[in-house]
Amino acid sequence: MSKSRVEAFTDGIIAILIAILITILVLDLRPPEGVSWSALHQLIEPFLAYVVSFVAIAIYWNNHHHLYQTVKRIDGIVLWANTALLFWLSLLPFATAWVGENLTAMLPELSYAIVSFMCGLTYNLLDRCLIHANGQNSRVAVISQHDHKRWLSLLIYFIGCLLTLVWPPAGLVASIVVSILWFIPNRRVEQEFR
């Protein structure tokens, strides 16, 4: 399979995930009962969970696209690593819907935090597999060499998982912090292609 087929497949899956996220959350957001600010306030939690997850999926798609710009070869291990990333991303709509209805409950928040952590972990795994397939002197290896955001993100997700046990919103807060870190993709990729 060529890298363009993997990119197209991943783009399609991510588009489906966003469609599912929209279907599950946005279509479930009903107009508030009443016309007061307090009536509107009831929609804040599901809307916040939706926005955080939508942005996270968009960031993964952006960074996945940038990552694949740096590679020439893929192998079977890369395909499995890419599939693992898609598996964990596919669980985000479920975790988002659950946490959107139960923002301060420990188990929904913990499940969201674990899914977010696993998305980050499998993205890192994909990066390592692409380096292995393309060599230590490849563009992907050079660009990933000093990218400490990957490991910092995993640490933040892990701390978020632990803190969720004592303060449930910590899982969502960790995802927000990681999204802020990754909102701008790796600039080294864009510099490499100028």
Side-chain angles (χ1 to χ4, degrees):
M1 185 182 288
S2 69
K3 82 170 193 165
S4 60
R5 287 199 60 203
V6 173
E7 285 179 291
F9 175 72
T10 303
D11 287 349
I13 295 296
I14 289 176
I16 290 168
L17 291 176
I18 289 175
I20 291 169
L21 195 63
I22 290 169
T23 303
I24 289 174
L25 296 174
V26 173
L27 296 181
D28 199 35
L29 287 176
R30 304 275 182 234
E33 295 179 19
V35 293
S36 66
W37 287 108
S38 62
L40 187 61
H41 187 273
Q42 295 172 357
L43 299 177
I44 288 178
E45 291 180 2
F47 184 72
L48 175 65
Y50 165 75
V51 168
V52 171
S53 292
F54 185 92
V55 169
I57 291 172
I59 288 170
Y60 275 105
W61 177 77
N62 265 326
N63 284 289
H64 186 275
H65 177 70
H66 273 86
L67 186 63
Y68 270 79
Q69 293 290 316
T70 66
V71 301
K72 293 185 179 180
R73 285 176 283 196
I74 61 169
D75 58 16
I77 296 171
V78 168
L79 293 176
W80 280 111
N82 197 76
T83 303
L85 172 63
L86 292 175
F87 171 77
W88 288 103
L89 285 173
S90 75
L91 293 176
L92 266 177
F94 163 76
T96 303
W98 199 18
V99 83
E101 294 297 321
N102 305 285
L103 198 60
T104 58
M106 194 269 297
L107 192 55
E109 281 281 356
L110 183 59
S111 72
Y112 188 88
I114 289 170
V115 168
S116 297
F117 174 78
M118 291 306 296
C119 287
L121 186 65
T122 53
Y123 187 86
N124 280 345
L125 174 66
L126 175 61
D127 180 63
R128 298 292 109 199
C129 292
L130 285 167
I131 291 170
H132 183 264
N134 287 271
Q136 292 299 320
N137 295 321
S138 64
R139 285 172 139 173
V140 67
V142 170
I143 288 170
S144 296
Q145 182 179 13
H146 298 292
D147 191 2
H148 302 296
K149 284 195 302 186
R150 295 179 199 285
W151 305 110
L152 180 59
S153 299
L154 285 178
L155 179 63
I156 292 168
Y157 280 140
F158 183 73
I159 290 169
C161 287
L162 294 178
L163 289 178
T164 297
L165 299 172
V166 291
W167 184 61
L172 199 59
V173 170
S175 292
I176 292 169
V177 171
V178 171
S179 291
I180 291 168
L181 278 175
W182 285 95
F183 192 76
I184 298 174
N186 189 337
R187 293 179 190 260
R188 295 179 70 184
V189 174
E190 293 179 3
Q191 292 169 352
E192 182 76 18
F193 288 99
R194 282 187 188 165

